[in-house]
Amino acid sequence: MSDANSPALLDVQLAIERYKRFAVATHVRPDGDAIGSLLGLTYMLRKLGKEADPYCQDPVPSAHRFLPGSRSIRHSIEQPSFYDAAILVDCGSLLRVGNALADSIGKIPFLINIDHHMNDTPFGDIFWVTPSVSSTCEMLYHLCGQLQLALDPDIAAQLYTGLLADTGSFRFSNTNRQVLALASALVEAGAQPAYIAEQLYESASPESIQLLARVLSTIAFSSDNRVATAELTQKMFAETHTLPEDSEGFINHLRSVKSVELAVLFREDDDNELVHVSMRSKGKIDVSAFARRHGGGGHRNAAAFRVSGKLDAIRSEYTEKALDYLAGAS
C-alpha cells in the first residue's frame, strides 16, 4: 500500500476538517525536515481557513531561516486551552518536542502524530507513521493532495527543503523514483532547487568552519577504516563562538570517506554530563536498531541517542559497542 492510500491519511484529513484551531510542533534541535514540515503544515492549515501556529522549543537554525514563515515560529505555548488540536510532525515521541512544549501539548484535547521514524510505541489520538518514506515532508505532500489543496511556491519550498535534507541531497538510499517525481512536482509548483540548496549547504559561517576543523582533528578510524568516530566538545563551541546548530551535517564528513560504513559523532552537551551520539551508515547497516537499544531512534542510515557520562568514557565504550554491532551485522 502506498502512503497516499494509507487509512491513517484519511483519519488525519477528517480530523483537520473537524477542528478549527491547531498548534503544530516539531522536535528540539530541528533539522530541514522538521522545519519544512512544521511550516508546510502550518501554511496548509491556514489555506484551509484554519487558525494554526507553529512551535519549536529551540531556535530555527540559521540555514533554514530563509524559509517562508520561519520568523513566526514560537517557542512556548502560552494558552494551550486556545487550541482544539495539536499536530506533531517529525517526532518519534512526544518528549522529542522538549519538556516544556510536551507539558503544554498534553493539555490540548486532541493529538495527531505525523512522522516517518520507526517507533515501537505510537502515540496520539491519530498516528500516521510511515517509516518507508523519505521524510515527513513527503507525507505532507500526500496530505496536501488528500485535502485537495493546490501547492503554492511557499509550501513547495518548505516541503522541498525537507525532502532535500532527509535524502542527503538525493544521495541517500531513501531516494527513489517516487521521491524524484515528488521533487519535480514541487519544483513545478515554485520551489527553487538551486536557491534552496545554496541556503542549506553553502551558507556556513567562518566560525562554523573553524568548529568543523576542530572536530575533524579528532577523527579516529577503526576496523580497517570501516568505522569513523569524532567528538565535539563544549570547549570547541566556546573557542569558536558557535552553537550546536552550527554543527549540523558535520557527521556527513565522516560518512563521506569511501571505506567508512559506520560513522559516529559524540557531542558533549552543555551540562558536561550528557553526550549526544549521532550515527550514520551506508548500505544495510541499520543504525536505528542500535540507537533504539540505547533509548534513541531514527532511520536505517541515520539515527541518534543520548547517554549520561563523561565524553571520553562514552566515546570509548560506545565505539566498542558500535564495532561489535558492525561485526554482527556483517
Side-chain angles (χ1 to χ4, degrees), residues 21-25 77 83-88 104-106 108-113:
R21 296 186 297 272
F22 294 86
V24 186
I77 301 176
Y83 298 105
D84 304 315
I87 306 179
L88 267 58
S104 296
I105 288 170
I108 298 174
F110 197 85
L111 177 61
I112 301 170
N113 173 27

Side-chain angles (χ1 to χ4, degrees), residues 156-176:
Q158 292 154 346
L159 299 186
Y160 184 94
T161 295
L163 195 69
L164 187 68
D166 263 23
T167 59
S169 302
F170 309 114
R171 293 179 294 114
F172 295 165
S173 60
N174 58 0
T175 303
N176 53 33

Side-chain angles (χ1 to χ4, degrees), residues 6-295:
S6 168
L9 174 56
L10 177 59
D11 292 338
V12 173
Q13 174 200 351
L14 295 175
I16 287 174
E17 292 173 349
R18 183 183 318 130
Y19 296 110
K20 295 182 179 180
R21 296 186 297 272
F22 294 86
V24 186
T26 194
H27 60 75
V28 295
R29 288 176 285 275
D31 55 12
D33 192 32
I35 296 297
S37 57
L38 174 66
L39 294 173
L41 181 55
T42 299
Y43 274 48
M44 288 163 57
L45 292 169
R46 290 174 179 173
K47 284 193 73 171
L48 290 169
K50 310 292 184 177
E51 292 188 61
D53 298 312
Y55 290 93
C56 182
Q57 187 166 298
D58 288 340
V60 178
S62 58
H64 303 100
R65 291 174 191 160
F66 74 96
L67 282 172
S70 64
R71 296 183 184 278
S72 70
I73 295 175
R74 306 178 184 184
H75 307 296
S76 63
I77 301 176
E78 303 298 333
Q79 291 183 299
S81 61
F82 173 79
Y83 298 105
D84 304 315
I87 306 179
L88 267 58
V89 290
D90 206 42
C91 283
S93 72
L94 176 58
L95 292 179
R96 282 284 285 138
V97 300
N99 292 333
L101 275 185
D103 181 64
S104 296
I105 288 170
K107 299 174 183 177
I108 298 174
F110 197 85
L111 177 61
I112 301 170
N113 173 27
I114 302 176
D115 188 29
H116 73 124
H117 294 90
M118 183 70 71
N119 191 336
D120 295 331
T121 310
F123 65 94
D125 298 285
I126 296 174
F127 48 91
W128 176 28
V129 179
T130 311
S132 60
V133 301
S134 67
S135 57
T136 303
C137 281
E138 179 177 340
M139 299 174 70
L140 294 185
Y141 174 86
H142 295 303
L143 177 60
C144 200
Q146 183 76 18
L147 294 169
Q148 298 185 337
L149 276 174
L151 289 166
D152 60 33
D154 286 347
I155 295 175
Q158 292 154 346
L159 299 186
Y160 184 94
T161 295
L163 195 69
L164 187 68
D166 263 23
T167 59
S169 302
F170 309 114
R171 293 179 294 114
F172 295 165
S173 60
N174 58 0
T175 303
N176 53 33
R177 183 172 63 180
Q178 179 175 322
V179 166
L180 295 175
L182 194 157
S184 178
L186 294 172
V187 171
E188 185 175 352
Q192 301 178 50
Y195 173 73
I196 293 172
E198 179 181 345
Q199 301 308 305
L200 292 184
Y201 305 118
E202 299 175 1
S203 299
S205 67
E207 292 80 11
S208 69
I209 297 301
Q210 292 173 340
L211 180 65
L212 175 61
R214 284 165 169 79
V215 171
L216 294 179
S217 72
T218 71
I219 287 182
F221 295 96
S222 308
S223 187
D224 294 325
N225 298 325
R226 296 170 66 205
V227 175
T229 66
E231 65 186 48
L232 177 51
T233 67
Q234 287 298 309
K235 182 180 179 182
M236 293 177 186
F237 285 128
E239 289 174 343
T240 56
H241 305 288
T242 53
L243 298 169
E245 67 181 67
D246 295 301
S247 64
E248 182 71 29
F250 280 11
I251 192 172
N252 293 325
H253 290 276
L254 281 64
R255 186 182 184 272
S256 69
V257 177
K258 186 174 180 62
S259 61
V260 169
E261 298 174 35
L262 178 61
V264 189
L265 178 61
F266 298 89
R267 190 190 74 213
E268 187 178 55
D269 272 9
D270 56 10
D271 61 5
N272 296 322
E273 292 291 341
L274 191 66
V275 178
H276 181 272
V277 185
S278 295
M279 306 185 75
R280 298 291 185 271
S281 65
K282 295 175 184 172
K284 296 181 180 180
I285 306 301
D286 184 359
V287 290
S288 69
F290 184 92
R292 287 198 300 275
R293 290 182 185 178
H294 303 288

